Amino acid sequence: MSARIRWCGSRNWTRRGDRGSAEPLFILPVVFVMVLGVVQVGVWAHAQHRVQAVASQTLASARALNGSTALAYQRAEQAQEQLGGAMLQRVEVDVTREPEQARVLVRAQAVSVVPGATLPVSMRVSGPIEHLAP
């Protein structure tokens, strides 16, 4: 690395090649945190879609003509296994089946890319119970 030394007066010597050399030390960590933040938002959005898929499949089983809450919980487990991966943590499924309506609430946490970030995801769906019309 060659730097030109220039005479600037009585006893002032300056190096022109060293200007701005400390800037990457401050910029790179900020850029790295910003990239991790964007990745974390993508992971959160993907986890939200997975929770939505589990909830809709569970609701379909709960509101079926011969459905039950036990069958809905089994379907929720199957849906989580089919989706695979460790995208969702601490998954909780709550199924309520009444004579006219079924409700499903799925709560979980998205995997954290940024240390210390906890991003909850949830989906609440409901629909009428299927009945045979005379």
Side-chain angles (χ1 to χ4, degrees):
M1 176 166 90
S2 66
R4 287 191 268 162
I5 299 176
R6 184 171 66 133
W7 175 259
C8 289
S10 60
R11 288 198 158 154
N12 295 329
W13 293 91
T14 60
R15 290 181 179 240
R16 295 181 67 193
D18 287 344
R19 285 187 190 162
S21 63
E23 288 176 8
L25 293 176
F26 300 111
I27 293 173
L28 287 178
V30 172
V31 170
F32 185 66
V33 169
M34 289 172 58
V35 168
L36 280 179
V38 169
V39 170
Q40 183 66 66
V41 169
V43 167
W44 174 83
H46 187 62
Q48 184 68 34
H49 286 272
R50 284 191 177 203
V51 166
Q52 182 180 7
V54 170
S56 65
Q57 290 181 22
T58 304
L59 178 65
S61 181
R63 60 184 292 249
L65 179 63
N66 296 324
S68 67
T69 56
L71 290 173
Y73 282 117
Q74 287 178 356
R75 184 64 190 131
E77 290 292 326
Q78 290 173 354
Q80 289 177 44
E81 289 174 9
Q82 286 175 352
L83 291 171
M87 184 65 59
L88 300 176
Q89 299 175 336
R90 299 183 187 110
V91 180
E92 297 176 13
V93 179
D94 184 27
V95 178
T96 305
R97 182 181 161 105
E98 298 170 351
E100 295 298 320
Q101 190 164 8
R103 292 185 192 93
V104 175
L105 172 64
V106 180
R107 290 179 295 218
Q109 278 189 340
V111 173
S112 177
V113 176
V114 178
T118 57
L119 297 173
V121 290
S122 65
M123 180 59 64
R124 182 184 311 261
V125 292
S126 62
I129 301 294
E130 294 176 355
H131 295 288
L132 288 176

